Amino acid sequence: MAELPLNINACLGYSGSPLVYGGDGKYLSINGNIVSSFHVDLTRGEASRHFPCKGFGPDMLIAHPSFHFYAYSERGERAAVHVCSMEDGKEAVHMPNVGSIGLDCMSFSQDGESMATISSIPDHTVSIWNWGEDGVDLQVTGVSPQEFSSCHFNPKNSDQLALLGNGQLFLCNVVNSEQGALELEFLRFDPPNPDVEFAAFTWDASGRLFSTTSEGSLWQLDVSLYTLSGEPCFFTDNPWSSSSLLSFDRSLVVCTGDARVLWFDADSLSKLYEVRIPLSSSHSLVSACMCSDSQRGDIVLSSSDGSVFLLEMLSDLPQTFEMSEAEVKDADVVFGEMQRDKLHSLKRIMLSHVGRVVGLSFSPLLSHSLVSAGEDGKLIFWDCRKKCASAVQDVGRPLSCVEHHPSYSLLAIGDEGGSVQLLDVSAFPKMKSRAVFKLFHSKVVSLRFSDKGKSLAVMAEGSSHVYLLKVEESSAEVRGYVETGAASSARGNLLWVREEQLIVAAELDHLLRIENFSERSEEELQLAADLSTIRTEIACGQVARVGGKFAASSSRSKKVLLFELEGSWGSAGAEEVSSLPPAQPSLTFGAHDKVVLHIAGGGDAGLLASGGEGGKIVLRSGDDLLTVHALRAFSAWQGGCSSMCLSSPAGLLACASCNGTVLLLASSLLLEEDASGPPTRFTMGKKLYDLLGEEVEAGEVRTFEEVRLLSIQEMNNALNAVKKNEMRDRIRQIKAQLDFLLEKNSGAPELERIAREEIVIDAELRKRIIADGDARVEDTKRSISEENVSKEEERRRIKEVAWDSMETHGMKIHAFTTDVSVPNYPILKVEEERKRRIDRIRTMREIELKTLARQQQEFGASKSFVQFDSYSLSFDLKSREGGDKTGDKTGDKPSDPESLKSSAVLDNTDESWRAQQDDPLIYHRLNVTTRERKTAQIYMLESFITSVKTKFNALFDEFLKKKSATLGRMEEKQTRILEILKELKQPDAKEALGLHDEEQPNKLLEVSDREISAPKWVSPAEQKAKEEEARKQREASAGDANVERALNMMMGGTLAGVNAISKLEQVMTKPANLEVGENEELTEEQQQKLKEWEAQYKAFLAEQDAYAKSLEGEAKKLRSEIVEESKKFDDQLQELTDVKMRTEYKLIELELYKVKLIQAIAQEEDDILARQSLVLGLEELKYRHELAEKAVGEYLEEVQTFELRVDAVRQEGANLEKGLRKELQEHAADKETIDQAMKAFKKRGKLDDILQGFSADLIQRLDNLVAEARSQDEVVQEHVTQLENMQSELKRLEWAKTQIEESIAAAEEEMKKLLQRMAQAEYDLDLTVGMKQGQVEVEQSTFITDYSDAELVERSVMSMLNEAIKSRGGDKIAVLNEIKEFRKGIHLLQWDNQRLELQEEDCLQKTKDLQVHSSSSPASADPQLMFYSCCESPRAFSDSSKGPRARVRPPRKLPGWRR
């Protein structure tokens, strides 16, 4: 049977979902499976609107910038997006399969022409759609780099949007790819520092991007450079408080989690204004939206206490910072203004529950009044006409159910602590507590008033009692309880059939009926009653009355069963119930897709409502409840329906959700909203008072039954107090007599005294006490023994796993004088299976090498990649480089670059490379291309790593032996030092020498006495043995006293005699004959002997002093030798540290290489799985494409056939027109009449006025033709409408086919890229490269250096280039030397020329002097002498006096000689 829709009369409360502004003062929110639109101005009296959503529950909600549409996304498989009208909620655009499961976020662009969606797991696809009223087209799509929670377009650029998620902010740009197609580019903004995350962001109207961070700062971001811009502004002292960021005009608004709203100037980021929202410290702001079309930027806020606020700006923002000092008028006001100053006004416009609404009840006295109870402890009274709250009372404890009294102004509430409270609401909206009854220790799950209200039945979770309370207008008391025999579940329920007949549903396999209650006695609280049961096929936990029947449901089933009230009820015994067959219901309903949680009946009105876990609400009415109205009111992802209640007279259904909202539903729009004015301003009640005006405290700790039993016990104790006191007095007297006799017995003689063990008043008690003590001792021993066994087994397992499994245990050598320590490498034992696997791999590798060698012999050398990489896997502990055995052995001698090239090519062959490795079976890393080779390489690398560790451990053991030998020598020296100190009687400053605990691994398994903190328990036998041994030692020492005294007197205390005493301990005593008594004088002989003795004594003292100095010198030398020994070892240990460092470098390099190989294998496996998934996906898409093609083809044929049918129908209409014209022509009508008649016919009007004068028969026939034409027009219109629908459906099928084709193309492109990547992966190898400091020519970054545009150059290439540079440099230096020598000759020649010129001038001057002298000297007559004289050197003249002058030759002609 088809389901009719349920109408939404009202949505009461706020669900806590993000607020969305909808324009014209309206804000939107998601309430369950409904989108609600509320107006912020309550004085306007504008009705709220509620639009149901499709699917199982919306995920998110956004509004179109024009405010004509809103869009929401479904949550579930193949989630869709629905764009609906803001006026009536009708769907305008449907976007199917937008996400695999749901969407993370979506947004409209500022111009409203684009829409962005980001799907959630598993695909994380970012899609941008060209949006319009006619439909949507996918513009571009891409895979997002991570999950995102919000996205917004740049208002100035629809091809750019910002994305925020997981504390990271990205910029997404629509760009053109190299092929010309559109693609998405994702760029990440770096936070101020690594510990800071982005919290919120917004665009302003000019396209600037702003963001808040987790440290409480506000930043502007540069979208062109993708960096932070300028200086931040800090707005909170709580770094990790949540925040939201809004933009309006030239200002920014930050709403913080600690209930503050701050305004900032967008240009300077300076703080302008701050408002504190009056919330308690336990609550915070959760959502905010900007009223963008308001005059000054009003803000709608929501908080975690279920409130919605309107922050209205009354004037412009100040130019400098101002802190709002507005006083809070009333923080608990439900509707109305809370605070106000000259700049703003804060109003609370809605208050609702937080969390689950657990109870609903319509008032039978107040018209259209509904009360709801929540887990948050609030009672909210709703006015169903004004559709708002009329009173709110905070009870202060979590509630669980609520019920109105049918005739009195009383309200019963139950809480999770097991208490039931009756509230007097006669002075509504004020409430007073009538009575509080603590009945249970667990949650009250159901309470129901009887039809006349005389009794209140109460049931609790986990209890088998059903309490009955007697309720009158002015009093209430506990009547008693009925034992049901089985504990109720959390879904239990009660139903009164008559005044003294009650049905109990405890979610068992049967229903229980209780009737004929008896009155309880004063001694007993339990009531006698008649019990009967009816067995059901489901475990019923909910019951409701429907006319003369009752309905039952279970939270474990989707069914609702309908039974007769006077059915076949049987015995209530457990055995009888199990033997009964399940009762057959008169009707069974199953309209829910998930289990039924709640049902509500309309009493005699014949209505039945049910709410399921899937959020679906079903209302049945009519005969046999066959009229069905249904609506998915709540989200299936939020728990569905939490409570419901049905108003029988009005047919109004109230149902509640798990997120604090209440819906009013009906089969028709029954309630018109009261437009008499805005809601009345009132304050939420925080405290409850009783009728005397005293505050009601929290619920009692003890239940009513416990209090009654306690009072009875106190009364019995009071009655028996006298007897107890008399018995105590008698016991005291008997004890005093016994103490006197015991004291008398202790003072009696020993023969008359009775042993204390014989004086036993109660021998059996004594034996029992001793036996109990022995049993406790045995239990203690057994528990200690078991604990020891457990610890021993634990120790054995730890030793087996962590100690015995080690081939080499971890050790560490410590230096003597420094903090340097060097550990070795712990090595695990290799399992036999792994050994066999490694041996098998090595054998296969040997076979491979021999096969390759044979192939090279037969077919010639194959192409090798070894020549392109000279990397070596060998390692030498003694090498300073620690890696390359084939390094340059020629020192710094330069070599020819060409020879280096040729030698590198000749030497880097496979055979020569393997010959240089420690393990010749290992692959060169350029040959590790296949998965099998990578796996084999991993195993061989592990073996090689173990061998490197073993080599180092051998060197480590040698150093440990060296330290032991050094310690031996140091201990010998220290022993001698101790002997010297003992002889010198100096204090012993012994330094502990020995191996460190970390140098002795077996010490780990030994426990010393100092490690045991608990004192050792000594048994009596051990204590007795110790005392006996001490006694024997004392006796032995007493017998040896005389012997020791004689030894001291005769031999100096040692058997070796006086000569064995140290020289420093020897004493020289003065002879007795030289001692002088009183009044005595020494003789001359004695005086002479005394002088001799004094000289001997002085020499004795000098000898002792010299001996002591020699001992001190020896001790000092020994100490210096110990220091030298330790320093020498520490220097050697430093060499081991260097070796350890080089070994670590090599091992890290090998481990990194191994990890890269493992990653390559894992990537290959992932690629294989991805390829399989893509193949399966392509097959499925192709199959769907075939089905789509077939469906399009078949539907196209149907459309074409239907078009022919439409043409035929239109032709029939044309035939009617021809028939009319023919009739008129046959009856000789004139042309004007025919034209007028045809015009009227086309308008389908009447022809009576036109055809006056024609026969009535003709007019009747023509009127029949007009009527037939009208009906034919309707048929044509129906056919045309159906054809349009078929054509739109055909377009949809073609669009779906196009989407599948695009998906196939995308999958094939992805498959192509995957295959290309898999093909490249064989030779696209990850190689580890070791670089020394100073050899990296790339600018280093603070965090991670980017090497993407760097070039990696082989060291041999650099060596060849360096040698070539050196050679060219040598040639240039030689040329420069030649140039220097040539220029040197030129300068020397010029200098000689200048010297000769000066000599020439000097000779000329001398000639002149001779000529002057010849005029007065006879020698002047000889011209030849004069010439010779002028040509002599000055030295010849200066040396002429030293001897005969040598023969002077005439000067020869020199080059460049001038006369």
Side-chain angles (χ1 to χ4, degrees):
M1 180 178 294
E3 296 178 349
L4 301 175
L6 265 174
N7 293 311
I8 305 171
N9 278 262
C11 179
L12 309 176
Y14 164 64
S15 65
S17 64
L19 301 177
V20 177
Y21 186 65
D24 194 22
K26 297 186 291 293
Y27 65 94
L28 310 177
S29 67
I30 298 175
N31 295 319
N33 200 39
I34 292 170
V35 174
S36 299
S37 172
F38 302 95
H39 204 282
V40 297
D41 189 359
L42 302 179
T43 61
R44 292 179 55 172
E46 185 172 337
S48 57
R49 299 179 181 181
H50 312 284
F51 311 119
C53 301
K54 296 182 179 180
F56 288 92
D59 215 4
M60 64 187 57
L61 176 70
I62 60 174
H64 193 267
S66 65
F67 300 131
H68 294 158
F69 302 93
Y70 67 88
Y72 68 90
S73 64
E74 292 183 28
R75 183 181 176 187
E77 187 177 1
R78 297 180 180 179
V81 173
H82 305 270
V83 182
C84 305
S85 171
M86 197 80 76
E87 290 295 326
D88 53 11
K90 292 184 179 179
E91 184 175 87
V93 177
H94 175 68
M95 302 166 59
N97 300 332
V98 178
S100 299
I101 295 178
L103 295 184
D104 285 336
C105 55
M106 59 181 181
S107 175
F108 282 110
S109 61
Q110 185 65 28
D111 55 10
E113 297 180 358
S114 298
M115 180 181 183
T117 61
I118 303 179
S119 62
S120 59
I121 56 174
D123 46 356
H124 295 297
T125 302
V126 179
S127 303
I128 297 181
W129 313 77
N130 290 328
W131 186 85
E133 297 183 10
D134 298 333
V136 293
D137 295 323
L138 181 61
Q139 179 184 0
V140 62
T141 184
V143 178
S144 64
Q146 64 169 50
E147 294 184 11
F148 292 108
S149 57
S150 62
C151 64
H152 293 289
F153 279 94
N154 185 341
K156 294 296 184 179
N157 184 4
S158 298
D159 291 335
Q160 185 178 71
L161 68 159
L163 312 170
L164 177 65
N166 298 328
Q168 297 188 10
L169 186 61
F170 284 77
L171 201 63
C172 178
N173 296 317
V174 180
V175 297
N176 289 318
S177 64
E178 296 179 356
Q179 291 78 18
L182 294 179
E183 64 180 10
L184 296 179
E185 175 190 41
F186 296 94
L187 301 167
R188 186 172 72 90
F189 288 96
D190 291 328
N193 59 70
D195 297 331
V196 175
E197 298 179 353
F198 290 104
F201 74 94
T202 187
W203 298 91
D204 70 347
S206 61
R208 293 181 296 179
L209 182 61
F210 299 89
S211 175
T212 59
T213 63
S214 58
E215 64 178 356
S217 60
L218 174 63
W219 290 83
Q220 181 179 348
L221 295 92
D222 192 334
V223 296
S224 60
L225 301 177
Y226 320 114
T227 58
L228 302 176
S229 175
E231 295 296 328
C233 179
F234 291 88
F235 56 84
T236 180
D237 296 331
N238 185 6
W240 290 98
S241 65
S242 60
S243 62
S244 57
L245 184 59
L246 306 173
S247 172
F248 181 80
D249 197 14
R250 305 294 295 178
S251 61
L252 302 173
V253 184
V254 178
C255 304
T256 66
D258 52 358
R260 293 187 303 141
V261 182
L262 304 98
W263 282 260
F264 296 86
D265 182 76
D267 297 328
S268 61
L269 294 187
S270 58
K271 191 188 299 184
L272 301 178
Y273 189 55
E274 180 178 346
V275 174
R276 290 188 178 272
I277 308 299
L279 292 177
S280 63
S281 58
S282 59
H283 295 292
S284 61
L285 296 178
V286 296
S287 179
C289 66
M290 177 68 69
C291 301
S292 56
D293 55 359
S294 60
Q295 184 178 359
R296 295 183 178 89
D298 300 339
I299 304 173
V300 182
L301 306 166
S302 65
S303 61
S304 58
D305 64 350
S307 300
V308 180
F309 303 95
L310 173 63
L311 184 59
E312 185 178 3
M313 301 304 297
L314 304 178
S315 63
D316 296 335
L317 293 172
Q319 297 299 322
T320 58
F321 174 68
E322 289 187 15
M323 180 73 184
S324 174
E325 298 180 356
E327 295 183 358
V328 179
K329 295 181 179 179
D330 188 357
D332 296 326
V333 66
V334 177
F335 294 106
E337 193 172 63
M338 301 175 66
Q339 65 180 19
R340 183 186 183 94
D341 65 5
K342 62 181 181 179
L343 291 179
H344 83 281
S345 171
L346 180 67
K347 301 174 183 177
R348 179 182 271 131
I349 57 178
M350 184 177 292
L351 180 66
S352 59
H353 291 285
V354 178
R356 288 170 54 89
V357 178
V358 295
L360 295 170
S361 177
F362 281 101
S363 172
L365 303 178
L366 299 175
S367 177
H368 302 293
S369 178
L370 171 71
V371 64
S372 61
E375 288 181 337
D376 57 353
K378 288 200 288 270
L379 280 174
I380 301 182
F381 292 81
W382 304 95
D383 188 334
C384 298
R385 283 192 178 274
K386 289 189 175 182
K387 300 178 182 178
C388 63
S390 56
V392 180
Q393 177 66 51
D394 190 354
V395 181
R397 59 186 184 275
L399 302 179
S400 58
C401 48
V402 64
E403 178 81 358
H404 269 104
H405 194 279
S407 55
Y408 302 149
S409 297
L410 290 178
L411 185 70
I413 57 174
D415 59 29
E416 294 187 356
S419 298
V420 175
Q421 188 171 12
L422 295 178
L423 301 179
D424 188 345
V425 294
S426 58
F428 185 83
K430 294 184 179 180
M431 283 160 273
K432 292 188 177 182
S433 175
R434 176 71 63 83
V436 180
F437 302 98
K438 175 74 172 180
L439 302 179
F440 305 97
H441 286 297
S442 56
K443 179 176 70 174
V444 176
V445 297
S446 178
L447 48 82
R448 290 287 184 270
F449 283 105
S450 60
D451 293 343
K452 296 181 181 179
K454 295 182 179 181
S455 297
L456 175 65
V458 186
M459 183 170 63
E461 178 184 0
S463 175
S464 60
H465 296 171
V466 175
Y467 269 88
L468 295 178
L469 275 67
K470 184 178 180 181
V471 181
E472 296 180 356
E473 186 174 5
S474 59
S475 64
E477 62 178 358
V478 177
R479 183 176 176 185
Y481 70 85
V482 178
E483 176 65 38
T484 62
S488 172
S489 71
R491 298 289 184 182
N493 200 5
L494 299 170
L495 174 65
W496 286 97
V497 180
R498 291 191 294 272
E499 191 64 29
E500 290 293 322
Q501 191 178 77
L502 179 69
I503 295 179
V504 179
E507 207 163 34
L508 303 173
D509 60 350
H510 63 277
L511 297 172
L512 180 67
R513 186 174 67 181
I514 309 173
E515 53 189 348
N516 301 327
F517 305 102
S518 66
E519 296 296 331
R520 71 177 177 91
S521 62
E522 295 182 358
E523 294 80 11
E524 295 293 334
L525 192 61
Q526 183 174 355
L527 303 177
D530 296 335
L531 305 180
S532 57
T533 61
I534 181 173
R535 191 176 179 190
T536 57
E537 61 180 270
I538 59 176
C540 296
Q542 294 286 314
V543 286
R545 185 174 177 179
V546 186
K549 302 178 182 180
F550 71 92
S553 69
S554 171
S555 62
R556 309 169 191 170
S557 173
K558 303 177 184 178
K559 297 180 180 179
V560 178
L561 309 180
L562 198 64
F563 296 94
E564 298 291 339
L565 281 175
E566 301 298 333
S568 55
W569 294 85
S571 175
E575 297 180 356
E576 290 82 350
V577 171
S578 60
S579 62
L580 291 174
Q584 295 298 322
S586 58
L587 288 174
T588 302
F589 308 116
H592 291 275
D593 46 13
K594 287 191 176 183
V595 296
V596 179
L597 297 180
H598 297 277
I599 60 174
D604 297 331
L607 298 174
L608 175 63
S610 58
E613 188 180 20
K616 189 175 182 180
I617 307 298
V618 179
L619 179 63
R620 298 179 179 274
S621 60
D623 297 336
D624 294 331
L625 304 177
L626 296 181
T627 303
V628 180
H629 294 78
L631 173 70
R632 190 176 302 280
F634 304 115
S635 173
W637 317 112
Q638 298 175 352
C641 179
S642 65
S643 181
M644 63 171 26
C645 179
L646 192 60
S647 175
S648 301
L652 191 63
L653 173 63
C655 49
S657 68
C658 298
N659 53 16
T661 57
V662 178
L663 291 180
L664 296 179
L665 308 176
S667 57
S668 60
L669 293 175
L670 300 174
L671 295 177
E672 293 295 334
E673 189 163 356
D674 188 359
S676 60
T680 306
R681 175 188 173 92
F682 64 92
T683 301
M684 177 175 60
K686 287 287 189 178
K687 297 180 181 180
L688 275 174
Y689 298 91
D690 59 13
L691 299 177
L692 299 177
E694 297 181 357
E695 184 179 349
V696 179
E697 300 293 337
E700 296 290 336
V701 177
R702 297 186 180 92
T703 64
F704 179 83
E705 184 177 6
E706 291 172 346
V707 172
R708 189 182 69 85
L709 293 177
L710 184 60
S711 62
I712 294 174
Q713 183 180 0
E714 289 177 353
M715 185 178 294
N716 293 332
N717 291 338
L719 294 174
N720 296 324
V722 177
K723 295 181 180 180
K724 288 182 179 180
N725 291 332
E726 292 177 355
M727 182 61 68
R728 289 191 187 97
D729 293 339
R730 289 185 59 189
I731 291 173
R732 290 193 192 100
Q733 294 175 3
I734 294 172
K735 185 177 183 302
Q737 295 176 4
L738 179 61
D739 292 340
F740 173 76
L741 293 175
L742 289 175
E743 184 179 357
K744 185 178 181 181
N745 178 66
S746 62
E750 186 174 356
L751 295 176
E752 298 178 4
R753 191 185 307 150
I754 301 174
R756 184 65 180 85
E757 291 79 7
E758 298 180 10
I759 306 175
V760 178
I761 298 175
D762 191 344
E764 293 297 329
L765 177 61
R766 182 175 181 275
K767 291 180 181 179
R768 190 163 61 249
I769 293 173
I770 294 173
D772 291 343
D774 294 339
R776 287 198 301 272
V777 170
E778 292 299 326
D779 290 341
T780 304
K781 288 182 178 179
R782 185 170 57 256
S783 63
I784 293 174
S785 177
E786 291 175 355
E787 185 179 359
N788 290 339
V789 171
S790 174
K791 290 181 178 179
E792 183 65 25
E793 177 63 22
E794 185 177 356
R795 186 197 72 86
R796 187 192 64 79
R797 280 292 297 154
I798 293 174
K799 184 174 179 294
E800 179 182 349
V801 173
W803 185 263
D804 297 339
S805 62
M806 301 297 295
E807 184 73 29
T808 302
H809 298 102
M811 291 187 290
K812 186 183 291 186
I813 296 180
H814 291 265
F816 286 110
T817 59
T818 63
D819 295 335
V820 176
S821 61
V822 182
N824 70 339
Y825 290 103
I827 300 176
L828 284 169
K829 292 180 180 177
V830 183
E831 299 177 358
E832 293 298 327
E833 176 64 26
R834 194 169 188 83
K835 284 182 180 179
R836 288 193 295 269
R837 188 177 301 170
I838 293 174
D839 293 340
R840 185 165 62 251
I841 290 173
R842 296 182 69 83
T843 303
M844 295 173 64
R845 175 59 175 155
E846 290 176 357
I847 295 172
E848 180 185 6
L849 289 176
K850 291 181 179 179
T851 304
L852 290 174
R854 185 61 179 270
Q855 289 177 356
Q856 290 179 1
Q857 291 176 2
E858 294 183 0
F859 304 108
S862 59
K863 184 178 180 180
S864 174
F865 295 102
V866 176
Q867 57 182 328
F868 299 108
D869 185 15
S870 60
Y871 177 78
S872 175
L873 287 172
S874 63
F875 181 70
D876 187 3
L877 292 176
K878 298 181 181 179
S879 173
R880 180 64 62 179
E881 296 298 329
D884 194 358
K885 290 182 178 180
T886 62
D888 185 10
K889 299 180 181 179
T890 60
D892 297 332
K893 181 180 179 181
S895 58
D896 187 9
E898 298 299 329
S899 63
L900 287 175
K901 288 184 181 180
S902 59
S903 62
V905 173
L906 292 175
D907 291 340
N908 288 335
T909 60
D910 287 342
E911 293 79 3
S912 61
W913 183 85
R914 284 194 296 272
Q916 298 163 7
Q917 307 306 311
D918 290 340
D919 187 358
L921 298 181
I922 205 163
Y923 286 98
H924 190 279
R925 57 183 186 175
L926 292 183
N927 291 332
V928 184
T929 54
T930 63
R931 181 177 180 178
E932 292 75 13
R933 287 191 175 185
K934 291 174 184 176
T935 305
Q937 186 80 329
I938 290 170
Y939 279 99
M940 289 189 287
L941 278 175
E942 290 178 353
S943 300
F944 181 60
I945 290 171
T946 304
S947 66
V948 172
K949 292 180 179 179
T950 304
K951 288 180 182 179
F952 178 81
N953 288 346
L955 184 60
F956 181 90
D957 295 338
E958 293 179 5
F959 270 83
L960 191 59
K961 291 178 181 177
K962 289 181 181 179
K963 183 172 183 179
S964 300
T966 304
L967 281 172
R969 293 191 296 271
M970 294 170 67
E971 287 176 352
E972 292 177 1
K973 292 177 174 60
Q974 191 175 39
T975 303
R976 176 57 187 155
I977 292 173
L978 293 176
E979 293 175 356
I980 292 172
L981 294 177
K982 183 178 180 182
E983 193 170 354
L984 292 174
K985 295 182 180 181
Q986 293 182 2
D988 181 10
K990 180 181 178 181
E991 296 181 2
L993 294 177
L995 293 175
H996 197 275
D997 289 345
E998 293 183 347
E999 296 168 347
Q1000 306 174 73
N1002 291 326
K1003 282 275 189 179
L1004 186 65
L1005 304 178
E1006 299 175 0
V1007 181
S1008 61
D1009 293 339
R1010 59 185 175 84
E1011 293 178 324
I1012 302 175
S1013 58
K1016 184 179 180 181
W1017 180 78
V1018 182
S1019 64
E1022 292 177 345
Q1023 184 67 29
K1024 188 175 182 181
K1026 284 185 178 181
E1027 292 176 355
E1028 183 66 23
E1029 184 178 357
R1031 185 183 61 79
K1032 291 180 179 180
Q1033 289 179 355
R1034 287 195 301 271
E1035 292 177 355
S1037 62
D1040 294 338
N1042 296 329
V1043 177
E1044 184 177 356
R1045 185 168 60 253
L1047 186 64
N1048 289 331
M1049 292 176 62
M1050 298 173 61
M1051 304 186 66
T1054 62
L1055 295 176
V1058 180
N1059 295 330
I1061 299 176
S1062 172
K1063 186 178 291 186
L1064 296 176
E1065 295 178 352
Q1066 294 178 6
V1067 179
M1068 186 175 179
T1069 59
K1070 185 184 294 186
N1073 59 346
L1074 299 180
E1075 295 289 342
V1076 180
E1078 294 183 2
N1079 302 322
E1080 292 184 0
E1081 292 183 1
L1082 295 177
T1083 62
E1084 293 182 0
E1085 184 180 359
Q1086 287 177 333
Q1087 290 179 357
Q1088 182 66 29
K1089 288 183 179 180
L1090 180 60
K1091 290 180 179 179
E1092 293 176 356
W1093 181 86
E1094 288 178 349
Q1096 292 176 1
Y1097 184 70
K1098 187 176 182 181
F1100 174 75
L1101 293 177
E1103 185 179 357
Q1104 278 190 336
D1105 187 44
Y1107 182 69
K1109 289 182 178 180
S1110 66
L1111 290 179
E1112 290 176 354
E1114 184 182 358
K1116 185 176 181 181
K1117 180 181 178 183
L1118 291 173
R1119 288 193 185 97
S1120 64
E1121 290 177 356
I1122 290 176
V1123 173
E1124 288 178 1
E1125 289 282 352
S1126 60
K1127 189 174 183 304
K1128 180 180 177 182
F1129 178 79
D1130 292 348
D1131 294 340
Q1132 294 176 350
L1133 188 63
Q1134 187 61 42
E1135 296 177 2
L1136 182 63
T1137 304
D1138 297 339
V1139 175
K1140 171 72 175 180
M1141 188 66 68
R1142 294 196 299 272
T1143 308
E1144 282 289 338
Y1145 287 159
K1146 189 62 181 180
L1147 290 177
I1148 290 172
E1149 185 179 358
L1150 294 173
E1151 290 286 353
L1152 181 59
Y1153 181 32
K1154 187 179 75 173
V1155 169
K1156 288 295 184 181
L1157 292 176
I1158 295 173
Q1159 287 180 347
I1161 294 174
Q1163 183 62 43
E1164 185 178 354
E1165 292 178 353
D1166 292 342
D1167 290 342
I1168 292 173
L1169 293 176
R1171 183 179 61 186
Q1172 294 175 355
S1173 176
L1174 283 174
V1175 169
L1176 294 176
L1178 276 172
E1179 291 178 355
E1180 182 181 358
L1181 286 173
K1182 290 179 180 178
Y1183 174 71
R1184 289 170 56 191
H1185 184 260
E1186 293 177 359
L1187 295 179
E1189 280 187 336
K1190 183 178 179 182
V1192 169
E1194 293 176 353
Y1195 204 77
L1196 181 60
E1197 293 180 358
E1198 293 181 8
V1199 170
Q1200 292 174 350
T1201 304
F1202 197 79
E1203 287 177 348
L1204 296 176
R1205 188 184 305 172
V1206 170
D1207 293 339
V1209 172
R1210 287 175 174 168
Q1211 186 62 38
E1212 291 178 1
N1215 293 335
L1216 291 176
E1217 185 177 351
K1218 292 178 181 178
L1220 176 63
R1221 184 179 293 275
K1222 184 177 180 181
E1223 286 281 348
L1224 292 174
Q1225 290 175 353
E1226 288 178 353
H1227 290 80
D1230 55 0
K1231 186 176 184 303
E1232 183 179 357
T1233 302
I1234 293 175
D1235 292 339
Q1236 292 178 357
M1238 293 304 298
K1239 289 180 180 180
F1241 178 80
K1242 289 180 180 180
K1243 294 180 180 180
R1244 303 301 187 254
K1246 292 185 178 180
L1247 303 178
D1248 298 344
D1249 298 336
I1250 299 174
L1251 300 178
Q1252 292 180 0
F1254 288 85
S1255 63
D1257 186 24
L1258 176 62
I1259 294 174
Q1260 183 64 35
R1261 286 202 311 272
L1262 295 180
D1263 286 340
N1264 291 338
L1265 285 176
V1266 172
E1268 187 177 354
R1270 289 196 190 101
S1271 63
Q1272 189 67 24
D1273 290 343
E1274 293 177 357
V1275 172
V1276 170
Q1277 185 62 33
E1278 290 178 359
H1279 280 66
V1280 169
T1281 303
Q1282 186 174 357
L1283 178 61
E1284 290 176 352
N1285 293 334
M1286 292 177 69
Q1287 288 174 347
S1288 62
E1289 180 66 18
L1290 180 62
K1291 289 181 180 179
R1292 190 190 67 80
L1293 291 175
E1294 290 175 346
W1295 178 82
K1297 175 188 171 185
T1298 305
Q1299 291 293 109
I1300 294 174
E1301 291 173 349
E1302 292 177 356
S1303 300
I1304 291 174
E1308 289 177 346
E1309 181 65 23
E1310 187 176 356
M1311 174 67 81
K1312 181 180 178 181
K1313 293 180 180 178
L1314 177 62
L1315 294 176
Q1316 184 178 2
R1317 186 173 71 246
M1318 293 177 67
Q1320 292 176 351
E1322 184 174 0
Y1323 296 104
D1324 188 7
L1325 305 177
D1326 287 334
L1327 303 181
T1328 58
V1329 179
M1331 292 183 290
K1332 292 183 180 179
Q1333 186 177 4
Q1335 293 180 344
V1336 181
E1337 303 297 336
V1338 180
E1339 183 179 355
Q1340 300 295 301
S1341 173
T1342 306
F1343 301 103
I1344 299 176
T1345 305
D1346 183 15
Y1347 293 97
S1348 60
D1349 56 348
E1351 291 290 339
L1352 188 66
V1353 182
E1354 179 76 29
R1355 186 165 57 182
S1356 61
V1357 176
M1358 297 304 298
S1359 299
M1360 288 189 295
L1361 291 175
N1362 289 338
E1363 294 301 330
I1365 291 171
K1366 289 179 182 179
S1367 176
R1368 303 296 187 271
D1371 296 341
K1372 186 174 182 179
I1373 290 172
V1375 172
L1376 291 175
N1377 285 330
E1378 291 179 1
I1379 294 172
K1380 182 187 73 172
E1381 293 296 331
F1382 182 74
R1383 288 183 176 177
K1384 182 178 178 183
I1386 293 174
H1387 289 308
L1388 181 60
L1389 188 59
Q1390 290 176 353
W1391 182 82
D1392 286 339
N1393 193 12
Q1394 292 177 0
R1395 180 177 62 83
L1396 292 174
E1397 288 179 352
L1398 293 174
Q1399 287 181 353
E1400 181 183 4
E1401 291 178 1
D1402 187 48
C1403 289
L1404 292 175
Q1405 185 63 35
K1406 286 182 178 181
T1407 303
K1408 292 179 181 179
D1409 292 341
L1410 287 174
Q1411 289 175 356
V1412 172
H1413 182 68
S1414 62
S1415 62
S1416 60
S1417 176
S1420 59
D1422 190 355
Q1424 185 177 3
L1425 177 61
M1426 185 170 42
F1427 177 77
Y1428 288 162
S1429 299
C1430 69
C1431 292
E1432 289 179 356
S1433 64
R1435 183 169 181 173
F1437 288 98
S1438 63
D1439 294 340
S1440 58
S1441 62
K1442 296 182 180 179
R1445 185 183 302 175
R1447 182 184 177 188
V1448 180
R1449 295 179 181 179
R1452 61 184 179 90
K1453 189 176 182 180
L1454 298 176
W1457 177 268
R1458 290 187 302 171
R1459 295 280 182 184

